[in-house]
Amino acid sequence: MSTLTTNDTARALTLPGASAAHWLVRASLAGTFLFHGITKFPYLAAGAEMMGLPFWLWTLVAVVETGAGLAILLGGALRTRLGDLLTRAAGLGVIAIMIGAIWMVHWGQWSNIPSETHPFGGMEFQTLLLALGAYFTLRGNDA
């Protein structure tokens, strides 16, 4: 007597449309970074002054934010090696920006609610974005 057993739990738990679920995360991450990057460009000098950064560095922040938002979308659309590299590069850009934001602005308070000591709020949301950047860096288009 022979017994047939399968251990294909991944297939058993996969719902229809699950292969496109990465777009839910990509779209929200891209939207956040595109918004924050693009809205810096009209006020680069004022933003650099407010943050106490050199103009060139604040401009680089805006470019990286915008580029990461575009690359995370384009990387997902291109299901090739180039798309995978774009996804991973976008993740690295997100990591760099979020480390800077947490270190310069949000460190010392967890809650995202603005306070007297943290007028831009704490690091709750920024750590989530940092984790998403790390996820896409490590997984690429296998996300």
Side-chain angles (χ1 to χ4, degrees):
M1 171 181 217
S2 66
T3 306
L4 176 65
T5 59
T6 61
N7 194 15
D8 193 0
T9 56
R11 188 174 61 174
L13 298 175
T14 301
L15 300 173
S19 64
H22 65 101
W23 283 109
L24 297 170
V25 180
R26 281 181 193 273
S28 91
L29 182 62
T32 300
F33 269 73
L34 285 168
F35 172 79
H36 284 276
I38 291 170
T39 58
K40 283 178 176 63
F41 284 107
Y43 310 102
L44 285 172
E49 184 179 333
M50 178 187 77
M51 295 304 295
L53 294 173
F55 180 81
W56 69 266
L57 184 55
W58 191 245
T59 302
L60 181 62
V61 168
V63 168
V64 170
E65 284 178 338
T66 304
L70 291 172
I72 202 75
L73 293 174
L74 188 56
L78 297 174
R79 304 308 281 181
T80 63
R81 181 72 180 140
L82 176 60
D84 185 67
L85 291 172
L86 284 170
T87 295
R88 291 175 193 274
L92 285 173
V94 168
I95 289 170
I97 296 297
M98 288 299 92
I99 287 173
I102 291 168
W103 177 61
M104 290 185 63
V105 179
H106 303 284
W107 186 258
Q109 178 174 312
W110 181 254
S111 173
N112 209 38
I113 298 171
S115 68
E116 208 170 289
T117 59
H118 292 77
F120 292 105
M123 59 187 185
E124 181 178 16
F125 180 62
Q126 288 70 25
T127 58
L128 176 60
L129 295 176
L130 176 64
L132 289 173
Y135 179 76
F136 280 114
T137 299
L138 295 171
R139 295 294 308 256
N141 277 355
D142 289 334

